[in-house]
Amino acid sequence: MRRAARWSVGVVVCLVGVVAGCAGPDLAKKNFPRSTVAAAADLGGGDAPVDGKPVEGEAAFTAENLRVVDPCVLLDDQTLASVGTPAKNRLRDFGHCAHYMKDSAGKELNFNLVLGESASGKSAEGTFKIGGLPASESELDDKTACFIGVITEASPKRAITLQISGPAGPLCEPGRKVMEGVIKNLQAGGQKLALAKGTVAGVDPCAVLDESTITETVGESNARPTTLHACDWSAGGASFSINFKVGPNPDDLADAADSTPVDLGGVKAQKRPSEDRCRLDWAHAPFPPDKEQAEVVSLSYSRYDDKAGDPCAKLEAAAKALIPKLPTG
């Protein structure tokens, strides 16, 4: 892969079971390792105070808005028709939509759109703008994938990212066209997801717990957002994460996941312990767009030092502190 700037973004993963027909072994429909993408020169690098202000001052680009926007509505037929023959959108998760279609020559052309991924790093050469937002792109050497990102928020740095894959490209050109349409649709007022009462979709995972709970769980640590719906903390010999996502009800996966039920004070969760790790998952609310799925709260804890304490005991205490702070239907 050609050298690019240091903008570390999360890998887009296909959420198992979100939509029937999730991408199989076909490499054209796989999510490739994410390359690094350049940030805009005026954003600078390093740590910065968290202010949550969108780059261009538009409410459409705030984290609060993007958390509940339907990403698949942004990939509308009009936008996709500019690069080929649209097919059917597939909602993978909050803020994640995939679309597998054909280009004007009848070849596969696949898109993965993610709203609000973490984007940290300094500026680099080759930056430009899409829809008035700082943007950059990179591609695989064999031209089978292109990665485009636009910065939507300066502190913490967040981006809308688009992964384009298919037979040998060029793929960045159609990617830019689609990203322009995505930004235009968002500025015009992106349609919101159909969500149940008490949804966690609008909750900031980095701000939902008190600092005292974080300190008790993992020690003194700064929140590190990975997506709009996931946040990590790490300190000393342990790490802790909160993730709000769309997926199968954890109770339905208990046998396959080899998990055991645990009572968190009126909420039943599925626990998956190991020697140095523990994970808790529970269904918080239904997910109206797909009745086979649910809004799932997923907590995980890993220790790298025995002094960090029992992983599941730490995690269960954090879960009991979190549950009363979540919305209810």
Side-chain angles (χ1 to χ4, degrees):
M1 187 183 295
R2 63 185 176 90
R3 190 171 181 267
R6 284 177 279 177
W7 174 14
S8 223
V9 292
V11 176
V12 177
V13 294
C14 178
L15 192 67
V16 177
V18 171
V19 179
C22 184
D26 184 353
L27 292 179
K29 295 183 181 180
K30 266 195 170 183
N31 294 314
F32 294 87
R34 190 62 68 93
S35 70
T36 53
V37 186
D42 59 344
L43 294 181
D47 294 332
V50 176
D51 57 24
K53 295 180 181 178
V55 171
E56 297 298 316
E58 292 193 39
F61 303 133
T62 62
E64 290 76 15
N65 184 61
L66 292 178
R67 280 192 183 98
V68 294
V69 165
D70 186 339
C72 287
V73 172
L74 303 178
L75 289 176
D76 63 338
D77 284 351
Q78 182 177 352
T79 296
L80 295 170
S82 67
V83 296
T85 304
K88 185 178 180 180
N89 283 325
R90 305 180 185 192
L91 186 69
R92 297 301 195 201
D93 201 350
F94 295 131
H96 179 189
C97 185
H99 193 102
Y100 306 135
M101 55 179 282
K102 302 290 186 181
D103 65 13
S104 56
K107 296 180 180 179
E108 288 191 10
L109 183 60
N110 308 314
F111 296 96
N112 269 279
L113 175 70
V114 178
L115 308 180
E117 282 198 291
S118 174
S120 61
K122 296 183 178 180
S123 62
E125 297 178 359
T127 58
F128 58 101
K129 288 198 172 186
I130 295 180
L133 297 176
S136 193
E137 65 187 33
S138 62
E139 61 185 347
L140 298 184
D141 289 337
D142 62 5
K143 310 296 184 183
T144 59
C146 176
F147 311 93
I148 297 176
V150 295
I151 299 287
T152 56
E153 191 176 325
S155 179
K157 291 178 187 173
R158 301 187 197 269
I160 295 174
T161 61
L162 186 67
Q163 175 184 297
I164 311 98
S165 62
L171 296 172
C172 289
E173 182 178 352
R176 287 192 294 271
K177 288 183 179 179
V178 170
M179 184 64 93
E180 287 173 0
V182 166
I183 298 303
K184 182 179 178 181
N185 289 338
L186 189 56
Q187 290 172 318
Q191 182 176 320
K192 304 299 188 289
L193 284 164
L195 298 167
K197 291 182 178 179
T199 178
V200 293
V203 175
D204 181 350
C206 290
V208 66
L209 283 177
D210 297 332
E211 284 188 24
S212 59
T213 301
I214 296 299
T215 301
E216 291 170 5
T217 304
V218 76
E220 292 187 7
S221 174
N222 292 324
R224 183 169 60 89
T226 53
T227 70
L228 289 170
H229 301 93
C231 193
D232 297 339
W233 293 264
S234 61
S239 63
F240 167 62
S241 68
I242 296 175
N243 187 12
F244 304 134
K245 61 185 181 180
V246 176
N249 189 317
D251 292 342
D252 297 336
L253 299 177
D255 291 339
D258 195 24
S259 62
T260 57
V262 57
D263 187 351
L264 298 175
V267 171
K268 185 178 78 170
Q270 291 294 328
K271 179 171 66 174
R272 282 189 276 174
S274 64
E275 183 177 356
D276 296 311
R277 297 174 183 170
C278 192
R279 177 170 165 174
L280 289 172
D281 299 274
W282 68 89
H284 173 79
F287 186 63
D290 186 341
K291 294 182 180 180
E292 295 184 359
Q293 307 299 312
E295 290 189 8
V296 175
V297 178
S298 181
L299 308 184
S300 64
Y301 181 93
S302 298
R303 69 176 183 185
Y304 314 106
D305 185 331
D306 290 345
K307 295 179 181 179
D310 178 78
C312 286
K314 291 276 190 177
L315 205 55
E316 288 180 36
K320 289 177 181 179
L322 173 64
I323 289 168
K325 295 181 178 296
L326 298 179
T328 57

Short mmCIF file of all heavy atoms in Angstrom, two decimals, residues 46-73:
data_model
loop_
_atom_site.label_atom_id
_atom_site.label_comp_id
_atom_site.label_asym_id
_atom_site.label_seq_id
_atom_site.Cartn_x
_atom_site.Cartn_y
_atom_site.Cartn_z
N GLY A 46 -1.96 15.42 17.83
CA GLY A 46 -1.82 15.30 19.29
C GLY A 46 -3.14 15.45 20.01
O GLY A 46 -4.19 15.58 19.40
N ASP A 47 -3.07 15.43 21.31
CA ASP A 47 -4.27 15.54 22.12
C ASP A 47 -4.81 16.97 22.11
O ASP A 47 -4.08 17.93 22.04
CB ASP A 47 -3.98 15.14 23.57
CG ASP A 47 -3.63 13.66 23.66
OD1 ASP A 47 -4.11 12.91 22.81
OD2 ASP A 47 -2.88 13.29 24.58
N ALA A 48 -6.11 17.10 22.18
CA ALA A 48 -6.74 18.41 22.20
C ALA A 48 -7.95 18.34 23.11
O ALA A 48 -8.50 17.28 23.36
CB ALA A 48 -7.17 18.83 20.79
N PRO A 49 -8.38 19.48 23.66
CA PRO A 49 -9.57 19.47 24.50
C PRO A 49 -10.78 18.97 23.73
O PRO A 49 -10.90 19.20 22.53
CB PRO A 49 -9.74 20.95 24.89
CG PRO A 49 -8.46 21.61 24.54
CD PRO A 49 -7.83 20.81 23.47
N VAL A 50 -11.66 18.29 24.41
CA VAL A 50 -12.88 17.79 23.77
C VAL A 50 -13.93 18.89 23.77
O VAL A 50 -14.36 19.34 24.83
CB VAL A 50 -13.40 16.54 24.50
CG1 VAL A 50 -14.71 16.09 23.88
CG2 VAL A 50 -12.37 15.43 24.46
N ASP A 51 -14.31 19.35 22.60
CA ASP A 51 -15.34 20.38 22.54
C ASP A 51 -16.56 19.95 21.76
O ASP A 51 -17.62 20.54 21.85
CB ASP A 51 -14.78 21.69 21.95
CG ASP A 51 -14.19 21.51 20.56
OD1 ASP A 51 -14.59 20.57 19.87
OD2 ASP A 51 -13.34 22.33 20.17
N GLY A 52 -16.44 18.86 20.97
CA GLY A 52 -17.58 18.33 20.24
C GLY A 52 -18.10 19.22 19.14
O GLY A 52 -19.20 19.02 18.64
N LYS A 53 -17.31 20.22 18.72
CA LYS A 53 -17.79 21.14 17.68
C LYS A 53 -17.50 20.58 16.30
O LYS A 53 -16.39 20.13 16.03
CB LYS A 53 -17.12 22.50 17.84
CG LYS A 53 -17.50 23.23 19.12
CD LYS A 53 -16.79 24.57 19.21
CE LYS A 53 -17.17 25.29 20.51
NZ LYS A 53 -16.45 26.59 20.64
N PRO A 54 -18.48 20.60 15.41
CA PRO A 54 -18.23 20.13 14.05
C PRO A 54 -17.24 21.03 13.33
O PRO A 54 -17.17 22.22 13.61
CB PRO A 54 -19.62 20.18 13.40
CG PRO A 54 -20.37 21.21 14.18
CD PRO A 54 -19.85 21.11 15.58
N VAL A 55 -16.50 20.46 12.41
CA VAL A 55 -15.45 21.20 11.70
C VAL A 55 -15.98 22.45 11.03
O VAL A 55 -15.41 23.53 11.15
CB VAL A 55 -14.77 20.28 10.67
CG1 VAL A 55 -13.84 21.08 9.78
CG2 VAL A 55 -13.98 19.19 11.39
N GLU A 56 -17.06 22.34 10.32
CA GLU A 56 -17.59 23.48 9.58
C GLU A 56 -18.75 24.17 10.31
O GLU A 56 -19.44 25.00 9.74
CB GLU A 56 -18.06 23.03 8.18
CG GLU A 56 -16.93 22.50 7.30
CD GLU A 56 -15.87 23.55 7.03
OE1 GLU A 56 -16.25 24.71 6.73
OE2 GLU A 56 -14.67 23.24 7.10
N GLY A 57 -18.97 23.80 11.56
CA GLY A 57 -19.99 24.47 12.34
C GLY A 57 -21.41 24.07 12.02
O GLY A 57 -22.36 24.69 12.50
N GLU A 58 -21.59 23.01 11.21
CA GLU A 58 -22.94 22.59 10.84
C GLU A 58 -23.47 21.56 11.82
O GLU A 58 -22.78 20.59 12.16
CB GLU A 58 -22.95 22.01 9.42
CG GLU A 58 -22.68 23.04 8.34
CD GLU A 58 -23.00 22.49 6.96
OE1 GLU A 58 -24.01 21.75 6.83
OE2 GLU A 58 -22.25 22.79 6.03
N ALA A 59 -24.70 21.74 12.23
CA ALA A 59 -25.31 20.80 13.18
C ALA A 59 -25.39 19.39 12.62
O ALA A 59 -25.38 18.41 13.37
CB ALA A 59 -26.71 21.30 13.55
N ALA A 60 -25.45 19.27 11.28
CA ALA A 60 -25.54 17.95 10.66
C ALA A 60 -24.35 17.07 10.99
O ALA A 60 -24.46 15.84 10.99
CB ALA A 60 -25.67 18.10 9.14
N PHE A 61 -23.20 17.68 11.27
CA PHE A 61 -21.99 16.91 11.49
C PHE A 61 -21.67 16.65 12.96
O PHE A 61 -20.63 16.08 13.27
CB PHE A 61 -20.80 17.63 10.83
CG PHE A 61 -20.98 17.88 9.37
CD1 PHE A 61 -20.70 19.12 8.82
CD2 PHE A 61 -21.42 16.87 8.53
CE1 PHE A 61 -20.87 19.36 7.47
CE2 PHE A 61 -21.60 17.09 7.17
CZ PHE A 61 -21.32 18.34 6.64
N THR A 62 -22.53 17.07 13.86
CA THR A 62 -22.27 16.83 15.27
C THR A 62 -22.43 15.36 15.60
O THR A 62 -23.19 14.62 14.96
CB THR A 62 -23.21 17.64 16.17
OG1 THR A 62 -24.56 17.22 15.92
CG2 THR A 62 -23.07 19.14 15.91
N ALA A 63 -21.72 14.93 16.64
CA ALA A 63 -21.85 13.53 17.07
C ALA A 63 -23.28 13.22 17.48
O ALA A 63 -23.79 12.13 17.21
CB ALA A 63 -20.89 13.27 18.24
N GLU A 64 -23.93 14.17 18.14
CA GLU A 64 -25.32 13.95 18.59
C GLU A 64 -26.23 13.63 17.41
O GLU A 64 -27.12 12.77 17.52
CB GLU A 64 -25.82 15.19 19.33
CG GLU A 64 -25.19 15.43 20.68
CD GLU A 64 -23.77 15.99 20.59
OE1 GLU A 64 -23.37 16.46 19.49
OE2 GLU A 64 -23.05 15.97 21.61
N ASN A 65 -26.05 14.31 16.31
CA ASN A 65 -26.88 14.06 15.14
C ASN A 65 -26.50 12.77 14.45
O ASN A 65 -27.35 11.94 14.11
CB ASN A 65 -26.78 15.22 14.15
CG ASN A 65 -27.71 15.04 12.96
OD1 ASN A 65 -28.93 14.96 13.10
ND2 ASN A 65 -27.14 14.96 11.76
N LEU A 66 -25.20 12.56 14.25
CA LEU A 66 -24.74 11.39 13.51
C LEU A 66 -25.05 10.07 14.22
O LEU A 66 -25.21 9.04 13.57
CB LEU A 66 -23.24 11.49 13.25
CG LEU A 66 -22.81 12.60 12.28
CD1 LEU A 66 -21.28 12.62 12.16
CD2 LEU A 66 -23.44 12.42 10.91
N ARG A 67 -25.16 10.11 15.54
CA ARG A 67 -25.44 8.87 16.28
C ARG A 67 -26.78 8.25 15.89
O ARG A 67 -26.95 7.04 15.98
CB ARG A 67 -25.44 9.14 17.79
CG ARG A 67 -24.07 9.20 18.40
CD ARG A 67 -24.10 9.16 19.93
NE ARG A 67 -22.74 9.29 20.43
CZ ARG A 67 -22.19 10.42 20.86
NH1 ARG A 67 -22.93 11.53 20.90
NH2 ARG A 67 -20.95 10.46 21.27
N VAL A 68 -27.73 9.07 15.50
CA VAL A 68 -29.08 8.55 15.23
C VAL A 68 -29.49 8.65 13.77
O VAL A 68 -30.62 8.33 13.40
CB VAL A 68 -30.13 9.26 16.12
CG1 VAL A 68 -29.90 8.91 17.58
CG2 VAL A 68 -30.09 10.77 15.93
N VAL A 69 -28.57 9.08 12.90
CA VAL A 69 -28.88 9.15 11.47
C VAL A 69 -28.85 7.75 10.86
O VAL A 69 -28.02 6.92 11.23
CB VAL A 69 -27.86 10.07 10.75
CG1 VAL A 69 -27.91 9.87 9.24
CG2 VAL A 69 -28.15 11.53 11.09
N ASP A 70 -29.76 7.51 9.94
CA ASP A 70 -29.78 6.25 9.21
C ASP A 70 -28.73 6.33 8.10
O ASP A 70 -28.91 7.05 7.12
CB ASP A 70 -31.17 6.02 8.61
CG ASP A 70 -31.30 4.65 7.95
OD1 ASP A 70 -30.27 4.05 7.60
OD2 ASP A 70 -32.44 4.19 7.75
N PRO A 71 -27.62 5.60 8.20
CA PRO A 71 -26.57 5.71 7.19
C PRO A 71 -26.99 5.22 5.82
O PRO A 71 -26.47 5.67 4.80
CB PRO A 71 -25.43 4.86 7.77
CG PRO A 71 -26.13 3.86 8.63
CD PRO A 71 -27.30 4.59 9.22
N CYS A 72 -27.95 4.30 5.79
CA CYS A 72 -28.38 3.75 4.51
C CYS A 72 -29.19 4.76 3.69
O CYS A 72 -29.19 4.71 2.46
CB CYS A 72 -29.18 2.47 4.72
SG CYS A 72 -28.17 1.06 5.22
N VAL A 73 -29.86 5.68 4.37
CA VAL A 73 -30.61 6.71 3.65
C VAL A 73 -29.64 7.65 2.92
O VAL A 73 -29.96 8.21 1.88
CB VAL A 73 -31.52 7.49 4.61
CG1 VAL A 73 -32.14 8.70 3.93
CG2 VAL A 73 -32.61 6.58 5.14
#
